[in-house]
Amino acid sequence: QVQLTESGGGSVQAGGSLKLSCAVSGNYFSDCGTGWYRQAPGKERELVSNIKSGFTTYAESVKGRFTISQDTAKNTLYLQMNSLKTEDTGVYYCAADRRAGGCGPRPFSPNFWGQGTQVAVCS
């Protein structure tokens, strides 16, 4: 089993910055990627960014403003969010794709989720 624990959410004014952290613990065989999703009120959950073997992807709406990174020694994932906009408001979830076997040639498909952390950006 894999546990994900987010921290770092909060309220900030538009144009400000926040840094989210996600501590990953548990046993698994293959790291098939880790990432951040968010869900705004009344909207579906969307992928913000993910990282796998050093390769990163970002949603178009956050490119150039958000940076995903990970500290493998600490088993921690980060999301640095700069130039925040009101539309970045939502609950941010850490997500991990961990498999007992190999990852195979397939897209990022999380099977473990954190409890979420609230981000509120005020105008």
Side-chain angles (χ1 to χ4, degrees):
Q1 195 72 346
V2 176
Q3 295 80 41
L4 308 174
T5 306
E6 302 108 331
S7 60
S11 297
V12 64
Q13 286 195 324
S17 298
L18 282 174
K19 186 173 184 178
L20 305 182
S21 300
C22 173
V24 183
S25 61
N27 298 314
Y28 54 87
F29 184 76
S30 297
D31 177 351
C32 302
T34 317
W36 293 94
Y37 282 74
R38 69 184 179 189
Q39 187 165 21
K43 295 188 177 180
E44 293 187 355
R45 191 175 297 189
E46 63 171 346
L47 176 63
V48 175
S49 179
N50 71 289
I51 184 168
K52 178 182 176 182
S53 301
F55 292 95
T56 60
T57 65
Y58 294 93
E60 284 296 326
S61 60
V62 306
K63 280 183 179 179
R65 300 188 297 121
F66 290 12
T67 303
I68 192 170
S69 62
Q70 61 185 157
D71 184 332
T72 54
K74 296 181 179 180
N75 290 326
T76 302
L77 180 75
Y78 302 99
L79 185 68
Q80 177 66 48
M81 305 185 293
N82 299 328
S83 302
L84 281 161
K85 304 176 181 180
T86 54
E87 52 263 44
D88 294 318
T89 293
V91 179
Y92 284 68
Y93 297 91
C94 180
D97 186 345
R98 299 291 185 269
R99 304 292 164 174
C103 298
R106 57 181 181 74
F108 178 56
S109 304
N111 52 350
F112 295 98
W113 296 85
Q115 79 285 357
T117 186
Q118 178 72 49
V119 171
V121 184
C122 308
S123 59

